[in-house]
Amino acid sequence: MPVKKPKASSGAKKIFVLDTSVIIYDHYAIKNFAEHDVVIPITVLEELDNFKKGNDTKNFSAREFTRYIDSLSGKNTLQDWTPINGPTRGKFKIEMNFSSKINAEKIFDDRKADHRILNTALYTVESNPGRKVVLVTKDINLRIKAKSLNLNAEDYETGKIKTVDELYNGRSEVQKVDANSISSIYNQGEAKASTALKKLKPLPNHYYILKNGSASVLTRYNAEDDTLKRVVKSAAFGVIPKNAEQTFAIDAIMNPDIKLVSIQGVAGTGKTLLSLAGALEQRRNYHQIYLARPIVPLSNKDIGYLPGDVNSKLNPYMEPLWDNLKYIRSLFSEKDKEHKQLNEMVESQKLVVCPLAYIRGRSLSNVFFIVDEAQNLTPHEVKTIITRAGENTKIVFTGDINQIDTPYLDAQSNGLSYLIEKVKGQALYAHITLEKGERSELANLANDLL
């Protein structure tokens, strides 16, 4: 029988019960509930204790959270309500009790951590009549189970963008542009944006296809002098852009004034290939080129179950990156200097293909850094990577926000979507969404129909 919730007072402070997934996603989550109080089930601490060793993000989050609540507790016991730092914030406590009138372990016929957390939430409801209690979790199944027991349950919304449909795509097409502006861009390489775009208010480094009848030109908005600069289709280390949006992506990757680039698009649009080709074209400007991606274990199993040494375990995850490098190498014959340069760069570690975990914690100076599959990162991970950037470092994030392999992330809460939404409009940043598949007709068919 589901729990009967006492009627909560409309003016009473709420109590939020946090699941482990929330802490892993954001280890400072308890600071983000305004004046309301927060309960941490003892089961969450037990799960975090299992995560404390290792170099993955979840291990870092587990360690940072336990340090944080230890610093907050001072000389208090954590079974007491302890103030969270900040004058407008509420209090938190560790709840040891997970026995309630309704036993989730018995109802769902399974003794596991999720059900003990549900029991803690049920106990919190029973012991706090008149206050609204909400279980907060990134785990969709746990939210459904909670609601089936008549518990309030919500996703953790901090770091989540409002809507994917309106996510910034970095480019626009403008019809009936003044013919003199198009002529000026062709002849002088630029034109005054206020004249060409009229009432439009462009963001820095936004890309435009300007059209007037049969005449058209590709441009990028330069906010510093309010001009539209011409974007010329050009090859990068043998890779030629096949459409306007790929041309824009190459321009952003090759522009030394743009230090941060994100490229979003479905499989086969050329995100990683264009990024790698652009980096190789600029190899003399950087000490190293890093091409990295997060490791998302198959079926959420740890990579330890795979046979072989560390390299053997990691090779399957890195193979897509090597495929792009092999394709670029195939554009040249063995006698071409570019073919030899690629081999030399790999051998001398001028070009490094590696898991993202291998560069975490390092300071990145004089590096061209490509982060592939960025949709599998949390907002905190994206922030951590960017804050590692030193002098003369450029970072390119690529990914597809609709192809997420990490539990507890979705199209609205992943790091790539968060980056695009939060950093748009900054002078150091450019974004392009690629929509036209260029891998093959078969790949395009799958993207369109399946």
Side-chain angles (χ1 to χ4, degrees):
M1 188 176 91
V3 64
K4 186 175 181 181
K5 293 181 287 190
K7 189 173 181 180
S9 167
S10 59
K13 292 197 296 182
K14 300 174 185 176
I15 299 177
F16 291 97
V17 181
L18 303 194
D19 174 40
T20 312
S21 62
V22 176
I23 307 302
I24 296 300
Y25 180 82
D26 179 3
H27 55 269
Y28 286 133
I30 66 170
K31 297 166 66 175
N32 294 322
F33 291 92
E35 76 278 12
H36 305 291
D37 296 329
V38 175
V39 165
I40 309 295
I42 188 63
T43 307
V44 169
L45 288 188
E46 292 170 357
E47 288 198 302
L48 292 175
D49 191 51
N50 294 329
F51 292 145
K52 66 184 180 182
K53 294 181 180 179
N55 297 316
D56 202 358
T57 303
K58 64 183 179 184
N59 311 122
F60 171 81
S61 294
R63 292 191 294 266
E64 285 298 300
F65 175 74
T66 51
R67 290 188 191 112
Y68 179 62
I69 62 170
D70 181 54
S71 67
L72 285 182
S73 64
K75 295 181 180 179
N76 297 336
T77 73
L78 286 172
Q79 291 187 52
D80 300 324
W81 286 107
T82 301
I84 301 170
N85 285 346
T88 61
R89 295 192 178 106
K91 299 177 180 180
F92 84 100
K93 67 181 292 191
I94 305 297
E95 183 54 70
M96 304 288 293
N97 202 320
F98 48 83
S99 62
S100 62
K101 295 176 183 177
I102 309 300
N103 189 339
E105 290 183 318
K106 187 174 289 186
I107 289 173
F108 296 113
D109 195 26
D110 195 357
R111 294 179 59 84
K112 65 178 186 178
D114 280 359
H115 299 156
R116 291 199 297 275
I117 291 170
L118 282 174
N119 281 342
T120 299
L122 291 166
Y123 172 82
T124 304
V125 172
E126 293 170 6
S127 56
N128 292 274
R131 294 188 68 179
K132 183 176 182 179
V133 176
V134 182
L135 175 65
V136 183
T137 175
K138 302 294 294 177
D139 186 335
I140 297 174
N141 284 340
L142 188 56
R143 289 203 297 273
I144 293 171
K145 287 181 177 180
K147 290 175 181 178
S148 73
L149 297 174
N150 204 26
L151 273 170
N152 295 302
E154 298 175 359
D155 192 2
Y156 180 64
E157 297 290 336
T158 301
K160 196 167 187 174
I161 65 170
K162 292 180 180 178
T163 172
V164 175
D165 294 336
E166 298 176 5
L167 190 65
Y168 178 62
N169 72 1
R171 55 184 174 78
S172 305
E173 184 175 299
V174 183
Q175 301 283 350
K176 298 180 181 179
V177 176
D178 176 52
N180 290 331
S181 294
I182 292 181
S183 177
S184 175
I185 293 169
Y186 269 113
N187 296 327
Q188 280 82 46
E190 63 180 48
K192 203 67 179 174
S194 55
T195 302
L197 301 177
K198 297 180 181 178
K199 295 182 180 180
L200 291 177
K201 294 182 179 179
L203 294 176
N205 301 318
H206 188 85
Y207 288 91
Y208 288 95
I209 303 173
L210 305 182
K211 292 188 173 183
N212 184 312
S214 60
S216 66
V217 65
L218 306 182
T219 63
R220 176 181 55 82
Y221 176 65
N222 183 27
E224 192 174 336
D225 58 5
D226 189 39
T227 59
L228 290 168
K229 306 286 187 184
R230 186 181 179 189
V231 175
V232 180
K233 183 177 181 179
S234 56
F237 211 80
V239 175
I240 302 171
K242 295 183 178 181
N243 52 52
E245 58 197 37
Q246 286 195 354
T247 302
F248 292 150
I250 285 287
D251 180 78
I253 292 164
M254 299 285 289
N255 190 324
D257 296 325
I258 299 174
K259 303 296 184 181
L260 178 63
V261 177
S262 59
I263 305 174
Q264 202 276 129
V266 299
T269 50
K271 307 178 295 292
T272 311
L273 178 64
L274 294 171
S275 302
L276 179 55
L280 291 170
E281 187 68 30
Q282 301 171 83
R283 61 196 179 280
R284 294 181 182 86
N285 300 334
Y286 301 93
H287 290 171
Q288 276 185 305
I289 297 169
Y290 277 109
L291 183 55
R293 56 165 24 190
I295 293 177
V296 182
L298 302 173
S299 302
N300 299 321
K301 295 179 181 177
D302 191 83
I303 63 169
Y305 81 97
L306 292 172
D309 59 15
V310 174
N311 289 331
S312 299
K313 293 174 189 292
L314 295 176
N315 278 341
Y317 300 99
M318 298 299 107
E319 199 61 40
L321 303 183
W322 288 111
D323 287 344
N324 283 283
L325 189 60
K326 290 172 186 173
Y327 174 79
I328 293 175
R329 185 187 282 121
S330 73
L331 299 176
F332 306 96
S333 71
E334 292 186 10
K335 296 180 180 179
D336 290 335
K337 64 177 182 179
E338 288 86 356
H339 192 282
K340 296 176 182 177
Q341 285 172 341
L342 275 176
N343 292 335
E344 290 171 359
M345 289 176 71
V346 173
E347 290 172 5
S348 65
Q349 293 198 324
K350 168 91 174 180
L351 172 62
V352 180
V353 176
C354 65
L356 191 56
Y358 278 28
I359 58 89
R360 185 175 285 114
R362 297 182 60 181
S363 180
L364 303 172
S365 297
N366 291 300
V367 169
F368 193 109
F369 188 25
I370 302 168
V371 182
D372 195 32
E373 303 290 350
Q375 79 278 1
N376 288 323
L377 300 173
T378 66
H380 177 75
E381 287 177 299
V382 167
K383 178 181 178 180
T384 300
I385 292 166
I386 296 172
T387 54
R388 293 290 176 184
E391 287 296 318
N392 191 38
T393 285
K394 182 160 186 165
I395 305 177
V396 178
F397 289 91
T398 70
D400 178 4
I401 62 170
N402 296 307
Q403 197 174 43
I404 294 171
D405 306 308
T406 304
Y408 315 136
L409 293 182
D410 57 32
Q412 291 176 276
S413 63
N414 70 87
L416 181 59
S417 295
Y418 182 79
L419 172 69
I420 295 167
E421 179 65 23
K422 295 295 183 180
V423 189
K424 66 181 181 184
Q426 300 300 311
L428 295 178
Y429 173 71
H431 169 73
I432 283 294
T433 296
L434 303 179
E435 294 178 353
K436 295 180 181 178
E438 299 292 353
R439 183 171 288 170
S440 68
E441 289 183 10
L442 180 58
N444 293 342
L445 178 68
N447 282 324
D448 292 340
L449 300 180
L450 300 182

